Structures are given as structure tokens and as C-alpha cells.
Amino acid sequence: MHRRLTASAMLLALAACNAPQREQVPSATIDADWPTIPEDAVFGQVSAVEVDSHGHIFVLHRAGRVWEEPFPADPIAQPTVFMFAPDGTLLARWGAGQFVMPHGLSVDADDAIWITDVGREQVFRFSHDGEEQLVIGERGVTAQDAAHFGRPADVAFIDDRVLVADGYVNTRVAEFDPAGAFLRDWGNFSTAHGIAVDDQRIFVADRENAQIQVFDLDGNQVETRKSPNGSHTYGLASLGGGWLAAVEGRDGADRFGAIVRIYRPDGTIERSLDVGLAGKDASLGHDIAVGPDGMAYVTDVYGDRVIRFELTGGKDSE
């Protein structure tokens, strides 16, 4: 028995030695004082972030609940949506008793807030102040059809079309009109985890295929961008003019972290930044948003935090 254990240990050590090294890229200079979280707030597993037209930063988190399957049936009792001013002051919080496993948050052109819940299998639209306006999908029912989702992950908008990256179980982008009427679905993904659009393209983070798929506005595929080193892209943010920001939460060896990539319009990488915490698997980069002032925001699920940094900043890692 002792010999077998020793042999197994040796094989594991050999495998570790042969594993590719973690990628070393410059570290972003993070604003350590942003945001201000009140002492009475229950805050954790931060999954999504977006900036509205007023410069407010909306942050979606799970208020102490962690991802464990099967998901519980009861909603999270504490507020799960925080709205911050650009200086990090908390201006509002809502969403208490609403969500089971909140996942994605997006803001449309009218500053309505769209949220996906992978536990409830639904997509919601709220007013800027948190009044529920629309629910799409049947609560707790998983299917790939016009009335159901399979763990919807993220939402984006093109004029009068609402695009849902759907998601973990399903393999598609589902389109709806602003009133929630199903229009069509398309695509073939392993995990459609993030979605972003500009005036010419739709970008989908095909997470488990370690790639970003690029489509025209009609849903016709025009490009596939394989992620560097087989890394897994979790979140996307359009920078306009074909430029794209992406955050990777796992590398090709399935080690967790948080790497931000800036893609040029031609699909090449202009810059990479490390925004993760030090230590093994301390961070899981999940979503990214960029404000009109050039400030970037990244959610870190394992770090229970949302961070802010200048997208043009960075320093070399030691």
C-alpha cells in the first residue's frame, strides 16, 4: 500500500511539473478604495457589473449565497443589486427576496436593468429604481424553446431586440422583443456565458470551447477567436468600433484567476492585464464593464469583490 501511495504521489508531482506555467502579464493598478460597502451590507460572490447612461455602476452579487447545486428554492433575503456613484458611494440597493442564483446584469438604452437568474430559469427587466416590469421564462423549468431557458447567463441589446446568452444547459442565443415575445434563436455554443454588441458585430463568450464567436447583426458567424493558451472567457464588453474587452476566469489548465484582454477590431490582442488576487485560485473573473470615462470594472466571484481600474493603466508584474 505504501508503495502504491508513493507511486501515485510521484505521478501527481510529475503531472504538476509538466503543467504549463501560469501566464505572466502586466498587473492593472486597481483603485483599492473603490467602492464603499456599508458595514451592515451582506456582500459576496459578485457576478455582474454594468454602467448606465448617468455613470451609475450597477453591481449584482449573491449576498453571502454561494454556487452550490442543486440550487435552493428560497430567494436570497438581502438586497442583491447595488448602485454606486462613480466615486464609489452606495446610492441604492434592492433585489431582496427576488433571486435564487443571480448571474447577469445588463442596462438597456432606456436605463432599464435586465437580470438573469440561473436558479429561477428566468430573465427580468426592472426600472432603474428596482421595480419589476417584465419576467421571461417559467420559474424553475429548464427547456430550450420559446418559453423557457437553460440557465440564462447574460443579455445584450440591438435596437428592438433583446439577446439572451442561454447559457449553461442550452446552446444558443435566444432573441426577444422588448415586451418579451420570442423572435428566434440561433448559434451553437458549449456555454454561451457572455454577450456584447456594437454597431456591426455580436460577440459571444463561448466559454467552455475557449473561444469568442463573432457574428454579424443577423446572427451569421463571421469569425472565431480562439482564446490564448486555451483560456476560458467569462465576460465581454464592447468598446465600440470593433474593439472588445474580455475577462478570463480560468486558464487552459483550469486554474482560476482574472485576466483582462483588449482585442483590436481585427481580432488580435492589443493588451492583457492581470486583475486577480495573489494566491492559488483566489479569484474568478466573471464580468467586465467599461464606462465612458475609460474606467473598467471587473467582478471577482471568488474574491467577493468588484474592482475598478483605468483601462489604459498597468504595470509590469514581478
Side-chain angles (χ1 to χ4, degrees):
M1 179 64 70
H2 175 72
R3 291 179 179 175
R4 291 179 181 176
L5 289 174
T6 302
S8 298
M10 291 177 63
L11 288 173
L12 289 173
L14 182 61
C17 291
N18 291 333
Q21 295 296 311
R22 283 185 179 272
E23 183 179 4
Q24 299 297 310
V25 301
S27 296
T29 301
I30 295 170
D31 185 349
D33 297 323
W34 195 97
T36 301
I37 307 294
E39 292 184 0
D40 66 338
V42 180
F43 193 72
Q45 287 227 334
V46 189
S47 63
V49 61
E50 188 58 279
V51 182
D52 72 4
S53 67
H54 309 287
H56 300 137
I57 299 93
F58 278 85
V59 175
L60 182 67
H61 67 100
R62 295 168 184 156
R65 178 166 290 178
V66 298
W67 183 296
E68 291 181 348
E69 301 181 52
F71 298 135
D74 59 305
I76 298 169
Q78 295 82 16
T80 52
V81 181
F82 284 11
M83 183 180 78
F84 294 98
D87 67 0
T89 302
L90 181 62
L91 301 177
R93 43 181 156 173
W94 47 268
Q98 184 75 53
F99 306 111
V100 169
M101 190 54 63
H103 192 277
L105 184 150
S106 304
V107 181
D108 69 18
D110 298 319
D111 282 331
I113 312 302
W114 294 73
I115 293 175
T116 67
D117 189 324
V118 297
R120 289 189 57 167
E121 293 286 20
Q122 291 175 311
V123 176
F124 302 82
R125 186 184 71 218
F126 295 89
S127 71
H128 193 269
D129 299 323
E131 178 184 356
E132 184 181 295
Q133 298 177 332
L134 176 70
V135 182
I136 310 174
E138 184 177 356
R139 182 168 183 166
V141 178
T142 304
Q144 183 162 313
D145 57 37
H148 299 92
F149 296 107
R151 294 190 180 178
D154 197 15
V155 179
F157 314 96
I158 301 175
D159 298 326
D160 58 352
R161 295 151 56 196
V162 179
L163 282 61
V164 178
D166 180 36
Y168 283 81
V169 176
N170 291 345
T171 59
R172 63 178 180 166
V173 169
E175 292 193 15
F176 300 84
D177 70 16
F182 179 78
L183 299 176
R184 62 171 186 158
D185 57 10
W186 49 268
N188 184 19
F189 312 95
S190 175
T191 302
H193 195 269
I195 187 168
V197 302
D198 63 18
D199 59 350
Q200 295 185 359
R201 295 288 185 264
I202 302 168
F203 305 92
V204 180
D206 190 5
R207 193 187 76 184
E208 293 310 298
N209 281 330
Q211 63 188 14
I212 299 171
Q213 293 197 40
V214 186
F215 304 83
D216 65 21
L217 298 185
D218 293 322
N220 302 304
Q221 187 171 9
V222 296
E223 184 185 351
T224 297
R225 300 179 182 177
K226 288 293 184 181
S227 302
N229 307 312
S231 297
H232 301 274
T233 300
Y234 278 65
L236 301 170
S238 171
L239 303 178
W243 289 79
L244 183 71
V247 60
E248 298 167 1
R250 297 184 353 259
D251 68 11
D254 276 340
R255 293 171 296 210
F256 294 98
I259 299 292
V260 170
R261 312 275 190 195
I262 306 302
Y263 287 89
R264 301 183 184 92
D266 64 2
T268 59
I269 294 173
E270 189 266 344
R271 186 165 68 259
S272 299
L273 296 169
D274 192 334
V275 297
L277 293 168
K280 181 181 178 182
D281 295 346
S283 289
L284 171 58
H286 201 264
D287 194 22
I288 184 169
V290 181
D293 58 356
M295 298 303 294
Y297 304 86
V298 170
T299 64
D300 183 349
V301 172
Y302 287 171
D304 290 342
R305 63 185 185 139
V306 56
I307 59 174
R308 182 177 78 157
F309 59 96
E310 288 189 38
L311 199 60
T312 55
K315 61 180 180 177
D316 290 337
S317 299
E318 297 295 329

